[in-house]
Amino acid sequence: VQLQASGGGLVQAGGSLRLSCAASGIIFSRNGVGWYRQAPGRQRELVASITRDGVTSSVDSVKGRFTISRDNAKNTVYLQMNSLKPEDTAVYYCNAPYLGLATPGRYWGQGTQVTVSS
């Protein structure tokens, strides 16, 4: 199984980025996916998730700004990030299968850096 995350970069506050997580060896529509992030000196946190049934969820700090979605034909999950803030700066990882809030799944993408300048 391989998860390939991409789409990070440097953006000014208020800007947007779209992260992608493409998979081989695992079918996202049957497993669900989570997006995590980890900032320097902080614990990794689950930012958003989508279940195999397409139910989405996100943490309060990104609600209304981040949207997780899935393209079953491409076996790819996206994280659209709008109105970015400096506190969103972190390495973002996709993870599967989605098992819930407490336990990450077995497989991780390599991480993509998101840096938001003020």
Side-chain angles (χ1 to χ4, degrees), residues 31-34 36 44-46 49 95-108:
N31 289 277
V33 175
Y36 288 76
R44 179 183 58 200
E45 66 169 342
L46 176 63
S49 62
N95 174 264
Y98 176 66
L99 302 177
L101 295 175
T103 306
R106 178 176 180 181
Y107 305 108
W108 291 93

Side-chain angles (χ1 to χ4, degrees), residues 23-81:
S24 60
I26 186 170
I27 299 175
F28 281 162
S29 61
R30 297 179 184 175
N31 289 277
V33 175
W35 278 101
Y36 288 76
R37 67 184 178 187
Q38 187 165 23
R42 302 190 66 177
Q43 287 189 333
R44 179 183 58 200
E45 66 169 342
L46 176 63
V47 176
S49 62
I50 183 167
T51 69
R52 61 182 181 180
D53 297 323
V55 178
T56 62
S57 182
S58 60
V59 295
D60 287 345
S61 60
V62 306
K63 282 188 189 298
R65 301 189 297 121
F66 291 13
T67 302
I68 189 170
S69 63
R70 183 176 67 210
D71 185 329
N72 292 340
K74 295 182 179 180
N75 201 30
T76 299
V77 169
Y78 304 97
L79 186 66
Q80 177 67 43
M81 306 186 295

